[in-house]
Amino acid sequence: MTTFLNDMFQTISERGRALLERRGLQVDRGGADLVKLCESLVSTPGEASGVAIASEVLRRYDALPPDRQVDFLRSLAEQFGADDDRLVRAIHDYMEDPNGRTAGQVHFAAEPRRQELIRRLNLAPAGTASLVSMRVQILDNLREYPELALLDEDFRHLFASWFNRGFLVLRRIDWATPASILAKIIKYEAVHQIADWEDLRRRLEPADRRCFAFFHPALVDEPLIFVEVALTPDIPASIAEVLATEREIMDPMEAKTAAFYSISNCQKGLRGISFGNFLIKQVVEDLVREAPQLETFVTLSPAPGFRDWLDRERRAEGPSAATDADRATLAALDADDWHRDAEKVQAIKRVIMPLAAHYFFRAKDDRGRPIDPVARFHLGNGARLERINWLGDVSAKGLTQARGLMVNYRYVLKDVERNHEAFANSGEIAASSHIRRQLRSNAQPQTPIPTDE
């Protein structure tokens, strides 16, 4: 079947390229006529020539150096907006006779031509993968060229439809999965680095370990997002106990807890397209079917923004969650080996745990949300803040990101929807009484932290 489709696309492409030649759109002139070629693609009714033009646009784009690619993308943002004359006419018709038909005309006239261009580029063989890569270039240059934000919004709008849950396929990743996919799991692991193939084996092969990934038919063997799961007797407090090289493997039918200890997005070009909430819910359903005795579903999550926030509080001259006494104790953190000194560790813990509770409950960004991105994700999915684990990750990365803190977010299935609604509607954070007791009642108000999102 694959050979047949490749041959078919090749035939269409060859015939279409002949059409391009007849129209005076040579196929060997590098990037000079790329925007003109896009204009032809948007206005071409024929499918055969459309596939050929789309393929040629993507081929030429890939051949451009990065700076020329950015110039091309800026041209799309500037020149392929809505058809102003058509939009004015549609608005006039609606004002003259407001009804469903004329309202629909306004809707379609207001759509940027960029969106139709992206749809037609997707006709090319491997067009979806090329467009995902194209968006990476957009994201990498947004700060320097703000005008690309318009084009990025078009990509996000279309990708949200093309990659919705109905198109995603959940696959279990195990040691029998093809090596080409396993290599990508190693490459894309973003939370706890996989050192080598033996490390990967320890995460996939034992009976009490699971890994699941979402795939999309247009990207074949490219995982979009994956989650690693440990089946355990109780809630883990540290990543070391999960990833220990020497541990006793348990019978999965005796496990009471499923701990999601790593969730990694794989495609930068799909940033902002939500997969994780669907992934966790689907994996929970699959695990319950396989092991119905499971009672507890939790994460063992990093707190990637905690150290930066804590450092700001230590330096703050105005209102701060940290007192002068706190700052004096936390000065011990400036020593590289502080976590190896038992006396320092206990002193720091007494100060840092109430501050960590404050960080998750009261520290907000300029949109009124928790500043920790992992907290926003899980709380937004309906989880509750279950436990803050002191020195849950003493790796170099864990100490750098969060002074070793890790967090358990718990998914109580009967409460997920209620928690989600409370968080979405009023910012209410569901949390265990244990964490609430750690909050200081006299904490000072703080200035919201700006966010790039």
Side-chain angles (χ1 to χ4, degrees), residues 309 312-313 319-320 358-359 362-372 376 444-452:
W309 174 84
R312 285 194 296 269
E313 295 305 302
S320 170
H358 181 104
Y359 169 75
R362 293 176 177 155
K364 306 293 184 181
D365 66 14
D366 52 5
R367 293 166 59 181
R369 309 172 304 172
I371 62 173
D372 190 89
R376 290 199 299 270
Q444 296 294 314
Q446 294 173 264
T447 302
I449 306 298
T451 178
D452 291 332

Side-chain angles (χ1 to χ4, degrees), residues 286-302:
D286 283 15
L287 289 173
V288 168
R289 282 195 294 269
E290 178 191 355
Q293 84 287 348
L294 289 171
E295 300 173 349
T296 305
F297 300 91
V298 298
T299 74
L300 182 60
S301 299

Side-chain angles (χ1 to χ4, degrees), residues 114-327:
R114 293 182 297 268
Q115 292 189 18
E116 182 60 22
L117 173 63
I118 295 169
R119 292 189 191 99
R120 296 196 180 200
L121 289 173
N122 198 43
L123 292 170
T128 305
S130 296
L131 291 170
V132 171
S133 296
M134 189 179 290
R135 186 170 181 242
V136 174
Q137 184 72 287
I138 296 170
L139 293 172
D140 287 345
N141 289 277
L142 265 178
R143 191 179 297 275
E144 185 174 359
Y145 301 105
E147 64 269 28
L148 290 176
L150 293 171
L151 183 57
D152 185 54
E153 283 300 315
D154 294 322
F155 271 93
R156 286 187 62 173
H157 172 73
L158 293 172
F159 283 173
S161 298
W162 298 353
F163 290 89
N164 73 45
R165 176 64 187 92
F167 294 111
L168 304 183
V169 178
L170 184 70
R171 292 161 60 179
R172 180 175 171 185
I173 307 298
D174 57 28
W175 197 238
T177 298
S180 60
I181 296 178
L182 296 182
K184 290 168 184 172
I185 298 298
I186 294 175
K187 173 184 176 181
Y188 292 132
E189 167 59 59
V191 185
H192 303 292
Q193 182 180 7
I194 300 173
D196 50 32
W197 285 91
E198 188 57 34
D199 189 9
L200 180 64
R201 180 195 287 269
R202 287 192 294 269
R203 302 191 193 197
L204 300 182
E205 191 175 46
D208 58 356
R209 294 294 181 264
R210 299 287 185 275
C211 180
F212 298 89
F214 268 148
F215 292 82
H216 189 279
L219 297 184
V220 193
D221 289 336
E222 278 287 342
L224 307 182
I225 185 173
F226 64 89
V227 60
E228 296 168 69
V229 187
L231 303 181
T232 60
D234 45 36
I235 299 176
S238 73
I239 193 60
E241 64 188 277
V242 173
L243 299 181
T245 56
E246 300 293 334
R247 64 176 184 82
E248 184 177 347
I249 298 174
M250 72 177 303
D251 181 343
M253 300 309 293
E254 295 179 0
K256 298 299 182 184
T257 299
F260 303 85
Y261 65 90
S262 180
I263 302 175
S264 297
N265 285 294
C266 306
Q267 307 299 325
K268 182 178 179 180
L270 295 176
R271 192 176 79 187
I273 311 302
S274 179
F275 304 120
N277 53 347
F278 299 120
L279 178 65
I280 290 175
K281 292 170 185 175
Q282 184 66 60
V283 168
V284 167
E285 291 178 9
D286 283 15
L287 289 173
V288 168
R289 282 195 294 269
E290 178 191 355
Q293 84 287 348
L294 289 171
E295 300 173 349
T296 305
F297 300 91
V298 298
T299 74
L300 182 60
S301 299
F306 179 69
R307 177 175 175 167
D308 288 345
W309 174 84
L310 185 65
D311 287 349
R312 285 194 296 269
E313 295 305 302
R314 292 174 61 192
R315 296 191 302 265
E317 296 180 359
S320 170
T323 66
D324 289 342
D326 292 339
R327 294 187 182 94

